[in-house]
């Protein structure tokens, strides 16, 4: 594990990671078989060496990382010759290298996120190698070993496919952007703005959690990171004001989960969606905005519904931030975000180029303190923290995406994806809504085992074509799958965000999960609402229709929330639930 003697070394490696990825943006065209293997080479030390706590672990980590870096550099240096091999390995040496790289990627993902995703990838590899022995429609004709392994390891498929390209060119840049903001005072700025805007309202402490989680989650893209950061402030505040522990933890868990659906980052999902759909990033960001706002609106209304059961106080006036503090600290996130948005919308720059410019502004702000002004020493410490944080987060997301790329590569090589798509269509009788429910169930089950982005990639590769064949717009289908892949953050038995929030506050996780599911009802209904009311994702080209759909769905969710949560008479609650469902899905089955 990192200590004071090695901080400088890891900060230096993190700086190399940052310079390399930003450099790829400004350098120009770099061959994919150069940029993508270098991306993995930069990741490996953070996976195998950084977490080591003993000398034995460190030695093994160095050996594994060193071997992986050597293989990646060899591929990058020989990319021109490998391109002429057309994905066919030549000689035992290349076969051994391919096997080592695949095993290394599986082990990297295991170390980062546990067994489920590597097991899925390993099963996919086994299917690719031995699936010709499976009878019936789910078997395949077989692929020569040298061709199968080569397509996955020396061609622009498998490990070096388009998903890895998204991780290299876009995801890593926005992760760096988030790390820069988090190292400075942007997080405190989020909290101050949220407290100033909502602290005085009924349920104010809970609503501060909602607003701060929406703001912080828009750059972190991680439910766990969101709970740990904003929860450290909001959870004690809610308990101090007398909120039930189960409700306080549920508010934080649900609000924090929304970070993965809130533009611009969306937990890397938006950038993966760009690659898989071919839809420009700005269009995806606009399409995702109203559903994300609707989710936080539903949580906000849910808090008001809980207020009919409990006395949910606002934050006392003497504990709210002063106007000066709000104005000053808000600059730490407002300036970089302004550069990002101006770059994308006014100057028409690519998202990664605009983000790189925003990163430079954010790095400059690290040298400033909201209380004392310029502080170069603190700025240097924050920059070191940024480098280490960026290295760890890029390694985490990169390990997930590269491992998931194995699954996508095998689906393409064997044709299994097309077969599973046909199975879904036939299993649902060719009807849209049964197919949606089957897909939602698959997303929920897979999301319990693997991270949201990986669950989305795998599910949409299988179910996406089936849904589009049944008449859905591709972006509509992808957003539907992405939202349902997120359900496991608050849905038992896994519910990672719930576990963290419950642990921080010392409450039974199951009680928290039940409250979270009621409060996070939007997470279950909004994806279905995007199918019943497709106009809500058309903010870019039909803003009036999108806003009308938003208002309709907002009213339906408000009725559902009060019907499920409030302390009203049972008959009134049932009436509200029926009214909410009727308004929400009006016209969907006509």
């Amino acid at each position: 594990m990192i200590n004071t003697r090695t901080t400088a070394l890891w900060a230096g490696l993190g700086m190399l990671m940052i310079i390399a990825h930003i450099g790829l943006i400004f350098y120009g065209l770099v061959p994919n078989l150069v940029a993508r293997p270098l991306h993995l080479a930069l990741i490996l030390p953070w996976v195998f060496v950084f977490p080591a706590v003993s000398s034995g672990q460190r030695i093994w980590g160095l050996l594994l990382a060193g071997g992986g870096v050597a293989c990646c550099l060899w591929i990058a240096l020989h990319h021109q010759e490998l391109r002429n091999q057309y994905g066919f390995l030549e000689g035992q040496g290349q076969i051994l290298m391919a096997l080592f790289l695949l095993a290394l990627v599986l082990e990297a993902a295991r170390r980062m996120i546990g067994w489920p995703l590597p097991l899925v990838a390993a099963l996919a590899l086994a299917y690719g190698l031995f699936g010709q022995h499976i009878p019936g429609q789910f078997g395949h004709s077989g692929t020569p070993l040298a061709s199968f392994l080569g397509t996955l390891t020396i061609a622009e498929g498998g490990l070096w496919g388009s998903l890895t390209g998204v991780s290299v060119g876009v995801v890593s840049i926005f992760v760096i952007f988030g790390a820069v903001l988090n190292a400075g005072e942007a997080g405190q700025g989020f909290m101050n703005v949220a407290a100033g805007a909502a602290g005085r309202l009924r349920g104010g402490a809970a609503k501060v959690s909602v607003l701060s989680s929406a703001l912080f989650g828009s750059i972190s893209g991680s439910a766990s990171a969101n709970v740990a950061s904003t929860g450290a402030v909001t959870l004690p505040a809610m308990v101090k004001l007398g909120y039930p522990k189960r409700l306080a933890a549920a508010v934080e868990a649900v609000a924090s989960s929304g970070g993965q659906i809130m533009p611009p980052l969306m937990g890397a999902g938006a950038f993966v969606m760009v690659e898989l759909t071919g839809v420009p990033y700005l269009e995806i960001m606009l399409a995702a905005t109203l559903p994300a706002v609707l989710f936080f609106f539903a949580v906000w209304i849910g808090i008001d519904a809980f207020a009919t059961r409990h006395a949910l106080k606002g934050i006392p006036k003497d504990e709210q931030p002063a106007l000066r503090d709000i104005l000053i600290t808000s600059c730490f996130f407002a300036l970089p975000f302004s550069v990002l948005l101006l770059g994308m919308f006014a100057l028409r720059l690519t998202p990664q180029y605009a983000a790189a410019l925003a990163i430079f502004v954010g790095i400059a702000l690290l040298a400033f303190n909201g209380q004392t002004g310029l502080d170069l020493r603190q700025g240097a410490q924050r920059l070191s923290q940024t480098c280490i944080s960026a290295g760890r987060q890029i390694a985490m997301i990169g390990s997930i995406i590269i491992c998931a790329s194995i699954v996508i590569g095998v689906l393409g090589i064997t044709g299994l994806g097309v077969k599973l798509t046909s199975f879904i269509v036939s299993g649902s009788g060719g009807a849209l809504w049964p197919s949606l429910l089957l897909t939602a169930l698959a997303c929920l089950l897979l999301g319990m085992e693997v991270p949201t982005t990986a669950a989305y990639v795998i599910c949409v590769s299988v179910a996406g074509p089936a849904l589009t064949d049944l008449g859905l717009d591709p972006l509509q289908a992808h957003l539907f799958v992405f939202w349902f892949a997120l359900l496991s953050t608050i849905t038992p038995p896994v519910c990672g965000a719930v576990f963290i929030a419950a642990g921080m506050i010392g409450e039974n996780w199951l009680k928290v999960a039940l409250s979270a599911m009621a409060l996070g009802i939007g997470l279950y209904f909004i994806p279905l609402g995007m199918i019943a009311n497709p106009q809500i994702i058309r903010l870019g080209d039909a803003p009036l229709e999108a806003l009308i759909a938003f208002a309709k769905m907002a009213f339906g969710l408000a009725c559902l929330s009060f019907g499920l949560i409030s302390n009203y008479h049972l008959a009134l609650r049932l009436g509200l639930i029926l009214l909410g469902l009727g308004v929400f899905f009006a016209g969907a089955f006509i």
Side-chain angles (χ1 to χ4, degrees):
M1 187 62 103
I2 192 169
N3 55 47
T4 53
R5 291 180 297 177
T6 57
T7 298
L9 171 63
W10 288 108
L13 287 175
M15 179 63 73
L16 177 63
M17 177 91 80
I18 292 172
I19 291 173
H21 285 90
I22 294 180
L24 288 172
I25 295 173
F26 293 98
Y27 184 80
L29 293 177
V30 177
N32 291 334
L33 282 181
V34 174
R36 296 171 188 179
L38 288 179
H39 177 62
L40 179 58
L42 290 167
I43 284 173
L44 291 174
W46 295 93
V47 176
F48 292 102
V49 184
F50 183 83
V53 295
S54 66
S55 58
Q57 290 179 341
R58 197 170 296 111
I59 290 171
W60 274 110
L62 286 170
L63 289 174
L64 291 173
V69 169
C71 292
C72 292
L73 292 179
W74 186 87
I75 292 173
L77 291 172
H78 296 84
H79 67 280
Q80 291 181 332
E81 302 97 292
L82 294 175
R83 191 181 300 276
N84 295 329
Q85 293 181 205
Y86 299 102
F88 192 89
L89 297 173
E90 296 179 352
Q92 292 295 319
Q94 289 190 8
I95 291 178
L96 290 174
M97 180 195 69
L99 290 171
F100 174 72
L101 272 177
L102 290 170
L104 193 70
V105 168
L106 295 178
E107 174 63 10
R110 185 196 70 80
R111 294 195 179 202
M112 288 285 102
I113 56 172
W115 280 105
L117 178 58
L119 281 178
V120 172
L123 288 173
L125 288 171
Y127 175 81
L129 292 171
F130 306 110
Q132 65 270 25
H133 302 299
I134 298 176
Q137 64 171 327
F138 287 105
H140 62 80
S141 59
T143 306
L145 180 66
S147 180
F148 177 73
L149 295 179
T151 302
L152 293 175
T153 56
I154 66 166
E156 292 181 21
L159 299 183
W160 322 125
S162 58
L163 282 183
T164 304
V166 175
S167 180
V168 176
V170 185
V171 173
S172 295
I173 298 301
F174 276 84
V175 168
I176 294 167
F177 178 53
V180 170
L181 292 187
N182 291 334
E185 298 193 26
Q188 186 60 49
F190 291 148
M191 295 299 300
N192 286 344
V193 169
R200 67 184 183 280
L201 303 177
R202 180 178 63 169
K207 290 173 178 176
V208 167
S209 174
V210 174
L211 287 181
S212 59
S213 293
L215 292 168
F216 182 81
S218 67
I219 60 167
S220 74
S222 167
S224 299
N226 208 339
V227 172
S229 54
T230 61
V233 177
T234 59
L235 288 173
M238 285 187 272
V239 172
K240 180 181 177 181
L241 291 171
Y243 289 45
K245 286 187 175 182
R246 62 185 296 176
L247 175 58
V251 168
E252 184 58 44
V254 174
S256 295
S257 297
Q260 293 189 72
I261 54 175
M262 175 60 75
L265 188 57
M266 293 173 62
F271 311 116
V272 176
M273 215 173 287
V274 169
E275 182 61 39
L276 295 179
T277 63
V279 177
Y281 169 73
L282 291 181
E283 289 186 27
I284 289 177
M285 191 170 73
L286 286 172
T289 296
L290 286 184
V293 173
L294 192 62
F295 169 78
F296 285 103
F297 167 80
V299 181
W300 186 285
I301 291 297
I303 292 169
D304 282 328
F306 269 115
T308 65
R309 293 178 174 269
H310 310 285
L312 304 183
K313 301 176 183 178
I315 298 176
K317 188 173 182 180
D318 60 343
E319 295 182 15
Q320 295 180 22
L323 179 60
R324 174 190 176 278
D325 292 335
I326 295 175
L327 293 176
I328 292 176
T329 56
S330 65
C331 293
F332 287 95
F333 69 83
L335 290 176
F337 263 96
S338 297
V339 172
L340 174 68
L341 297 176
L342 285 172
M344 288 192 295
F345 290 101
L347 302 180
R348 296 292 179 181
L349 302 175
T350 62
Q352 56 266 45
Y353 199 100
L357 298 180
I359 288 169
F360 297 147
V361 174
I363 290 175
L365 290 175
L366 293 178
F368 290 88
N369 185 300
Q371 300 295 324
T372 60
L374 183 65
D375 189 335
L376 295 178
R377 183 175 180 180
Q378 186 179 54
Q381 293 173 343
R382 289 174 172 176
L383 182 59
S384 175
Q385 177 187 340
T386 297
C387 294
I388 293 174
S389 177
R392 295 176 64 183
Q393 292 178 53
I394 291 173
M396 169 72 79
I397 296 177
S399 298
I400 293 170
I401 289 179
I402 295 174
C403 187
S405 295
I406 295 176
V407 180
I408 306 306
V410 172
L411 290 178
I413 294 170
T414 62
L416 179 62
V418 176
K419 297 171 184 177
L420 291 173
T421 296
S422 300
F423 178 75
I424 291 175
V425 173
S426 61
S428 62
L432 175 60
W433 283 93
S435 294
L436 289 170
L437 295 177
L438 283 174
T439 303
L441 179 61
C443 291
L444 175 59
L445 293 175
L446 188 60
M448 289 180 179
E449 300 297 334
V450 303
T452 303
T453 303
Y456 155 66
V457 168
I458 296 170
C459 280
V460 85
S461 299
V462 173
L467 297 180
T468 53
D469 288 346
L470 292 171
L472 284 191
D473 177 81
L475 181 56
Q476 197 179 12
H478 279 252
L479 285 171
F480 175 86
V481 172
F482 184 72
W483 272 66
F484 269 112
L486 181 62
L487 281 183
S488 62
T489 59
I490 63 171
T491 306
V494 178
C495 50
V498 166
F499 281 135
I500 296 173
M504 291 176 68
I505 207 169
E507 178 59 282
N508 180 278
W509 71 269
L510 188 56
K511 293 181 180 179
V512 175
L514 293 175
S515 295
M517 292 171 69
L519 193 62
I521 187 173
L523 208 55
Y524 301 88
F525 278 90
I526 292 172
L528 298 171
M530 286 190 281
I531 308 301
N533 306 276
Q535 301 86 354
I536 196 168
I537 65 171
R538 298 181 59 202
L539 181 62
D541 57 349
L544 180 59
E545 290 86 345
L547 291 173
I548 291 173
F550 175 88
K552 171 185 167 184
M553 292 172 66
F555 179 75
L557 282 173
C559 292
L560 285 171
S561 290
F562 271 88
L564 286 171
I565 298 172
S566 71
N567 199 29
Y568 296 160
H569 190 276
L570 180 60
L572 177 57
R573 292 171 62 190
L574 289 174
L576 286 172
I577 291 174
L578 291 175
L579 176 61
L581 290 173
V583 171
F584 203 82
F585 293 108
F589 301 101
I590 297 176

